[in-house]
Amino acid sequence: MAAGAATPAADRERGGRIRSALLTFLLVLPAGAWYLVLLIAPLAIITIFSFGVRAKNGGYAPAFVLDNYAAILGDLQKAAPFTASLSMAIGGTIGSLLIGLPLAYFIATRAGRRKGLFILLLVIPFWTSFLIRTYSWLIVLGPGSLGGFIGDLVGDDNFRILGTPVAVLIGLVYGYLPLMVFPLYVTLERMDRTLVEASKDLGAGRWATFRQVTLPIALPGLITGSILVFIPMMGEYVIPQILGYGRIYLVGNALVTDFLEARNWPAGSAKAVILIFVMLITVTFYTWFVNRGRKGREVSVL
């Protein structure tokens, strides 16, 4: 009798699990399809193209060769855009962090009722075209403005900011700074202020409190912001083309040359695949290094 009563209950539980799994599948299906069509499929196509050869009139011809990868890895000149992009992305990420962390901390802990105003000021630039905002720096850094002013100070009439790595770095930090500030702000805004007060009551100075309390709390936002900033900086094309006058040759410039000018799609695809691997390796190492440091701090505190 008990076994007969248990069977309908088990059937209902099994039916509930099936309905739950079906509902989960239906909810995930749109995002999964979007992910498959707009991310996985293009990556698969680029990977296939990277093993092909250039067609007679440009484009792609089916083949399976490693010449495109060998040409990049075996020629330091062709690998130079990767090192330049990596150094620029690392420098831009560090610059965004040095500016974004104090700004996010101020908005989260000191702005008071003006938080909404400061957040609005950070969002307003996104209402304008990225291209227009980048072009505006031509005026700010031009010879008739900041560049000429610094040239007069140092006594060099030929001093220029535009067309140099400094101009590109400034453009990168300006263009992607909000992507660093927002994750840090969200993390710091949720911080329990009593922890900071307890640290000060126990005799810790400002730097010790920041290092042992604030920084570990802000670490998830720091990691997220760094990844959000680093990845687009690695493939940036507009900023070095405009502020660098095309003299700062990054991977984005190399991809445009291969795909649009030389019409060598397999060579450009190989560079794109290598770029993806460089970003994955760098982000993985960075995440491991930061998490390892966090575990070390937790052990030292204990």
Side-chain angles (χ1 to χ4, degrees):
M1 196 74 169
T7 301
D11 291 340
R12 286 194 299 270
E13 183 179 356
R14 190 181 305 109
R17 288 198 299 267
I18 294 175
R19 287 191 296 271
S20 177
L22 181 60
L23 179 60
T24 302
F25 173 77
L26 292 176
L27 291 175
V28 174
L29 182 60
W34 187 273
Y35 181 82
L36 178 65
V37 173
L38 297 181
L39 182 63
I40 301 299
L43 288 178
I45 293 173
I46 289 294
T47 303
I48 294 172
F49 277 16
S50 67
F51 293 104
V53 295
R54 184 181 185 274
K56 183 178 180 180
N57 296 322
Y60 164 77
F64 188 80
V65 296
L66 299 176
D67 297 347
N68 300 310
Y69 291 99
I72 299 171
L73 300 177
D75 190 345
L76 294 179
Q77 186 175 359
K78 291 185 177 180
F82 292 95
T83 57
S85 294
L86 185 61
S87 62
M88 279 291 177
I90 293 176
T93 302
I94 294 174
S96 299
L97 179 60
L98 292 177
I99 298 174
L101 182 57
L103 179 59
Y105 182 83
F106 171 79
I107 297 175
T109 62
R110 297 287 190 270
R113 297 180 179 179
R114 295 174 293 176
K115 285 183 181 180
L117 175 62
F118 285 108
I119 293 298
L120 180 62
L121 292 176
L122 284 173
V123 172
I124 283 177
F126 281 92
W127 297 354
T128 309
S129 169
F130 183 82
L131 188 63
I132 295 175
R133 288 187 284 127
T134 304
Y135 267 112
S136 66
W137 279 97
L138 292 175
I139 302 174
V140 177
L141 302 178
S145 186
L146 185 61
F149 176 73
I150 297 177
D152 293 338
L153 288 180
V154 299
D156 185 3
D157 295 335
N158 297 321
F159 179 84
R160 295 290 183 272
I161 298 178
L162 293 173
T164 66
V166 175
V168 176
L169 196 60
I170 292 173
L172 290 174
V173 173
Y174 167 76
Y176 295 103
L177 180 62
L179 298 180
M180 176 68 77
V181 174
F182 289 141
L184 287 170
Y185 166 75
V186 171
T187 306
L188 292 171
E189 203 272 335
R190 298 175 180 174
M191 179 177 63
D192 187 357
R193 295 290 299 166
T194 58
L195 296 175
V196 177
E197 296 173 0
S199 176
K200 293 180 179 179
D201 291 341
L202 292 173
R206 291 185 177 182
W207 169 245
T209 300
F210 173 79
R211 182 172 55 86
Q212 298 179 4
V213 178
T214 305
L215 188 60
I217 293 175
L219 199 57
L222 188 149
I223 295 175
T224 302
S226 298
I227 293 175
L228 289 176
V229 166
F230 176 81
I231 290 178
M233 283 185 180
M234 276 292 294
E236 182 57 49
Y237 167 74
V238 173
I239 293 176
Q241 189 68 20
I242 296 176
L243 300 184
Y245 288 164
R247 301 170 187 170
I248 313 302
Y249 199 70
L250 305 183
V251 176
N253 306 84
L255 293 178
V256 170
T257 300
D258 286 334
F259 278 99
L260 300 183
E261 298 179 11
R263 287 185 52 79
N264 191 346
W265 294 2
S269 299
K271 290 177 182 177
V273 171
I274 293 177
L275 174 62
I276 293 171
F277 274 105
V278 170
M279 288 191 294
L280 286 176
I281 292 172
T282 306
V283 170
T284 301
F285 174 77
Y286 172 77
T287 306
W288 170 83
F289 179 78
V290 172
N291 288 332
R292 181 173 177 268
R294 179 174 61 180
K295 292 179 180 178
R297 285 191 297 272
E298 291 174 353
V299 171
S300 64
V301 171
L302 293 176

